[in-house]
Amino acid sequence: MTVYTLNAAIAHVQSCGTETTLTVAAAPELAPVLQDFVAEGGGAPARGSDVCAEITVDAVPTGEIAAADADVWIPETDLVLEVPDAGLADQWEHFATSTASDAVGLALPEGADTTVEIDFDSTAIALEDPRKDPASLVWIVIRGVDEADVSGETGSDAVPVMSASEVRRRNAEASAGLEPPDGYAQIGQFEYPMLVAADLDDARREAAANLLRSYSSPVYTNLLIEAGFGPAVPERPGGSGSAVAAALETWEAYSSSD
């Protein structure tokens, strides 16, 4: 989706010294929020900036970012940068730690009491391949992984690991009857960092800065709330490059023994 911020720039009563384009690849669940925000003037030049941008926001699954032609990338978590052999840490650099948040944890059956402490060690957990599923990646980095999680022998009663937005989507599309992770069912969160291409030119970098500055607008906050997302968070959900590598090594060791 392409939207224009040039009219918003005129509203700032300032001329555009530089006009450029900015392509934003965002996690599919967050992309509609950004599209609506930019359509309402988000990304217009801040005071002191004369860079006006034609902003395109595309929904890009994290596993498909290598094929995307983007200047800015907003994935679910920056843990994906630390996946070994992906090369993403060399291609992208941090611009902002967080632009929104969403709970990650167990998607219990609808109506489950999440105020009651959960014995994670005795609960059968259903994980997806963490190299492709950011929620599973967050889980194994924070909670670890065992053979049952990988083998797929957890049975039909296994509790899936999801983000709150994925639960909402599955409930809407397939009447999945799941409870968004909350209380004791939540183990972490997506922080939706803002990343920019390492080789981004100065004009597009300034356009990205204008977009980031505009997130302070109540318009953006209201759009996040309406879509079910939380505000930006000050810290990532936990883990480091070595933690990600170690967790994936354990996952793959169990996978190869199946």
Side-chain angles (χ1 to χ4, degrees):
M1 176 179 180
T2 302
V3 288
Y4 298 86
T5 63
L6 298 183
N7 287 340
I10 293 172
H12 276 252
V13 196
Q14 66 184 90
S15 60
C16 299
T18 301
E19 295 183 14
T20 189
T21 60
L22 190 74
T23 302
V24 179
E29 66 272 21
L30 189 62
V33 173
L34 298 179
Q35 290 167 349
D36 289 345
F37 178 56
V38 174
E40 294 192 31
R47 292 186 181 279
S49 175
D50 67 349
V51 174
C52 302
E54 175 187 324
I55 302 178
T56 300
V57 180
D58 295 323
V60 179
T62 294
E64 299 176 13
I65 190 60
D69 183 15
D71 306 309
V72 173
W73 180 29
I74 304 178
E76 296 87 347
T77 171
D78 66 1
L79 292 178
V80 299
L81 294 179
E82 308 299 341
V83 174
D85 304 322
L88 295 174
D90 295 328
Q91 300 167 26
W92 299 93
E93 62 184 59
H94 283 87
F95 210 62
T97 301
S98 175
T99 61
S101 60
D102 197 26
V104 174
L106 297 181
L108 296 169
E110 198 167 27
D113 186 357
T114 58
T115 65
V116 177
E117 190 168 358
I118 298 169
D119 183 355
F120 290 108
D121 293 331
S122 64
T123 301
I125 307 298
L127 293 169
E128 303 294 333
D129 183 345
R131 287 181 175 270
K132 300 177 181 178
D133 181 58
S136 294
L137 179 61
V138 169
W139 179 276
I140 70 170
V141 168
I142 293 176
R143 292 288 312 171
V145 61
D146 60 33
E147 187 172 9
D149 300 330
V150 177
S151 67
E153 298 176 357
T154 50
S156 59
D157 293 333
V159 182
V161 171
M162 296 183 187
S163 67
S165 61
E166 184 177 5
V167 170
R168 291 191 295 269
R169 178 180 61 80
R170 294 204 185 186
N171 284 343
E173 294 178 355
S175 300
L178 298 173
E179 193 76 29
D182 189 21
Y184 284 109
Q186 179 181 351
I187 56 92
Q189 59 194 346
F190 286 156
E191 79 279 15
Y192 297 100
M194 184 173 180
L195 313 173
V196 295
D199 60 353
L200 198 63
D201 62 67
D202 290 344
R204 288 184 173 86
R205 190 174 291 268
E206 177 62 17
N210 283 330
L211 178 59
L212 179 59
R213 294 181 190 114
S214 68
Y215 285 157
S216 62
S217 164
V219 173
Y220 180 66
T221 301
N222 291 337
L223 288 171
L224 283 181
I225 293 171
E226 290 171 5
F229 292 97
V233 294
E235 298 180 1
R236 64 188 290 176
S240 64
S242 59
V244 171
L248 287 173
E249 184 176 353
T250 302
W251 170 275
E252 289 160 0
Y254 285 134
S255 297
S256 62
S257 65
D258 288 349

